Amino acid sequence: MNNIATNRQPKKITNILLGLIPILILVLVISCEEDPSELGANLLPNDTKLGYKYDTMIVTGTVHENKPMHTTNLSYYNIGIYNDSYFGNFKGEFACQFYPTSFMNEVEDIITIDSVILYLDIDSIYGLTNDQDIYFNIYELNNDIEMDSVYYSNIDIDSYYIKENEINTDCILSGDSLLKFPLKSSFANKFISFGNDIYDSDTNFREIFKGISIIPELINEPGGIINFNLTSNTDSKIIFYYQTTEDDSLSTTFSLSYRFAKYINDYSAGLINDYIENDPNENDSLLFVQGLNSVKSKLKFEDLKDWKDSDSVYSVLNAELTIPVAEYDHNGFAPPEQIFFYFSDTDSTLIELEDYTTGILGGTYDTDQREYKFNIPKHMMNILNENIEDSIINFTILNKSYYPNRVILKSGDNINLNITYTKH
């Protein structure tokens, strides 16, 4: 009997376990339906529970003119004239020194000068509908470029040349990748008329060749802007083609070295003139943003003081800011791929939002929704906890020193800031 009883005992245990399984499943299902935000909440005393809050904030915007920008030895420059009814009139001029990449020692052997051509490696073209709408004049400089000076976009390039020193015979747009300027024979002859001595040193070369300037001339409205590339291994250069007694096809390359630009904006003829530098305490219904030293806009969190509890410490889990694009024709200027935020009001020192440095800012253009969307939780937490005194955010295009892209944005009630946070 004892053996029989012993053999049946495991079946009773199995039956008990099978009966417990449905109860365990029911407990797990009920637990999974609990709000995840409440998990662990019962570990805090009732008077210190955090709880997530979701709210919106009122954001207003204003348009402001940028200060002159530093243009010394940049990698990209913009030349041209463009007039339109939105942003007004723009003009871009350029000046630089040039040097031979290797100094020639065979000047006395040159028997024929074939040509001297200035090439510009085009990165992008804006607003230009016809390659005959803009003409570029090349002038030889008669005043030195000071290599220990810093040049800004309001520099007076006119003081570096005289119009009698025009040296190009043509301006040729080759597709959308290269701009060519055949230079006059009188200028080409200077490469050999002073002998080998000018190639002995940079100083000797600069005494004869002080540099060149590129000045646009508007032929047909509205004109256009050409952005060209001066990074390493670029095709932007001057090439001197010649023949010697030994060879019938030789060339020497001159790089475009120390350089700067002048960028002029006249807003009086554009829609922007009704908005720029208005009362900074009033919301502009439209916001304007353009690269180079044109315009920026500012965002202000209007109800921050009323909304914020000064006795609380905030933890911001998410802060999503959305700015829609206004319904205007961009006239050959693609909206900038990304908008850049900074919170310093000193243009010479752009203090980036922490969200940008940590890679979560966003701000790229959504072509389907026609809007820019940003994530700024770290910055909002710094504002709410008073780690930052100024709550105004400045914004412009990313790489504004290089490109003239621009966009018109909606302001006021069209801007949404949705914030998820805790306070304790």
Side-chain angles (χ1 to χ4, degrees):
M1 295 293 294
N2 288 337
N3 289 336
I4 295 173
T6 301
N7 291 337
R8 289 181 177 178
Q9 188 66 25
K11 293 184 178 180
K12 289 183 179 181
I13 295 173
T14 302
N15 290 336
I16 292 171
L17 291 175
L18 289 173
L20 288 174
I21 288 174
I23 297 173
L24 291 171
I25 292 174
L26 180 61
V27 171
L28 288 172
V29 170
I30 294 173
S31 299
C32 291
E33 290 179 352
E34 184 177 356
D35 186 348
S37 66
E38 296 296 326
L39 294 177
N42 58 352
L43 299 178
L44 296 171
N46 289 333
D47 60 347
T48 60
K49 287 187 179 181
L50 299 179
Y52 296 132
K53 298 179 182 291
Y54 178 82
D55 211 341
T56 60
M57 297 182 69
I58 299 173
V59 182
T60 59
T62 51
V63 184
H64 302 264
E65 185 175 1
N66 274 310
K67 297 176 182 177
M69 60 174 274
H70 174 285
T71 68
T72 310
N73 290 341
L74 299 179
S75 299
Y76 295 85
Y77 286 91
N78 297 269
I79 52 174
I81 299 174
Y82 190 76
N83 302 333
D84 79 356
S85 57
Y86 300 143
F87 284 79
N89 304 334
F90 169 86
K91 185 177 183 181
E93 304 174 346
F94 173 79
C96 71
Q97 295 174 337
F98 61 93
Y99 292 119
T101 54
S102 60
F103 288 104
M104 294 192 297
N105 56 12
E106 54 185 15
V107 171
E108 66 277 3
D109 296 328
I110 295 176
I111 58 174
T112 303
I113 297 174
D114 293 325
S115 61
V116 177
I117 299 177
L118 166 64
Y119 298 95
L120 295 182
D121 187 349
I122 297 174
D123 180 78
S124 45
I125 298 175
Y126 302 88
L128 193 65
T129 57
N130 188 309
D131 60 5
Q132 302 300 315
D133 290 346
I134 292 286
Y135 187 83
F136 294 98
N137 300 287
I138 312 299
Y139 297 100
E140 185 178 7
L141 302 187
N142 61 312
N143 285 328
D144 290 320
I145 294 175
E146 301 295 335
M147 296 182 64
D148 57 352
S149 296
V150 176
Y151 291 93
Y152 288 85
S153 54
N154 58 347
I155 182 70
D156 184 11
I157 291 184
D158 290 350
S159 64
Y160 284 82
Y161 70 91
I162 57 176
K163 290 191 174 182
E164 288 75 16
N165 285 349
E166 182 182 356
I167 58 173
N168 64 308
T169 61
D170 204 352
C171 170
I172 303 166
L173 182 61
S174 181
D176 58 358
S177 61
L178 201 63
L179 197 56
K180 299 167 58 176
F181 303 93
L183 304 182
K184 291 181 177 179
S185 58
S186 57
F187 177 74
N189 286 330
K190 293 179 65 173
F191 285 100
I192 64 172
S193 59
F194 293 91
N196 287 326
D197 291 346
I198 67 168
Y199 298 101
D200 288 343
S201 68
D202 291 352
T203 301
N204 288 354
F205 189 83
R206 280 201 306 271
E207 287 181 358
I208 304 301
F209 297 102
K210 300 183 183 300
I212 59 170
S213 61
I214 305 175
I215 310 299
E217 178 183 346
L218 181 64
I219 305 300
N220 296 307
E221 294 276 2
I225 302 171
I226 292 179
N227 176 280
F228 64 93
N229 183 355
L230 283 174
T231 56
S232 59
N233 300 319
T234 179
D235 285 331
S236 296
K237 63 191 72 172
I238 293 174
I239 301 183
F240 172 41
Y241 299 95
Y242 59 92
Q243 300 175 31
T244 68
T245 54
E246 301 294 331
D247 297 283
D248 60 2
S249 181
L250 293 172
S251 65
T252 295
T253 299
F254 298 79
S255 62
L256 307 183
S257 52
Y258 206 83
R259 53 195 182 263
F260 57 88
K262 180 179 183 180
Y263 296 138
I264 308 164
N265 291 282
D266 179 3
Y267 306 110
S268 61
L271 175 65
I272 190 174
N273 199 54
D274 297 333
Y275 296 86
I276 192 167
E277 306 297 350
N278 287 340
D279 185 345
N281 296 316
E282 292 186 4
N283 177 60
D284 286 330
S285 58
L286 294 175
L287 300 178
F288 294 74
V289 176
Q290 186 174 28
L292 307 182
N293 63 300
S294 184
V295 289
K296 62 183 178 183
S297 289
K298 297 184 178 184
L299 298 182
K300 183 178 181 181
F301 306 107
E302 288 292 343
D303 57 346
L304 187 62
K305 291 182 179 179
D306 297 333
W307 184 89
K308 181 181 178 298
D309 183 352
S310 59
D311 295 329
S312 297
V313 176
Y314 287 81
S315 295
V316 179
L317 295 110
N318 190 42
E320 188 175 79
L321 177 68
T322 304
I323 309 177
V325 173
E327 298 294 333
Y328 286 92
D329 185 355
H330 291 93
N331 292 339
F333 287 74
E337 292 184 2
Q338 188 171 11
I339 287 179
F340 173 79
F341 277 165
Y342 61 100
F343 63 90
S344 169
D345 201 28
T346 303
D347 288 337
S348 58
T349 306
L350 305 184
I351 303 177
E352 302 162 345
L353 271 63
E354 188 178 350
D355 305 281
Y356 177 78
T357 58
T358 56
I360 65 171
L361 177 66
T364 55
Y365 179 53
D366 187 327
T367 55
D368 294 328
Q369 299 298 319
R370 291 182 55 82
E371 65 185 17
Y372 293 89
K373 187 172 289 186
F374 310 86
N375 299 307
I376 56 172
K378 295 180 180 294
H379 187 69
M380 288 306 303
M381 188 160 63
N382 285 330
I383 291 176
L384 294 172
N385 293 328
E386 298 181 352
N387 297 325
I388 297 174
E389 295 182 1
D390 189 358
S391 65
I392 293 176
I393 297 179
N394 300 268
F395 68 97
T396 183
I397 77 166
L398 194 65
N399 295 324
K400 77 180 188 71
S401 297
Y402 292 164
Y403 299 106
N405 298 78
R406 79 277 182 87
V407 66
I408 304 174
L409 303 162
K410 297 178 182 179
S411 184
D413 294 340
N414 296 289
I415 300 176
N416 294 319
L417 175 60
N418 299 320
I419 181 169
T420 306
Y421 63 97
T422 65
K423 64 178 182 177
H424 51 92

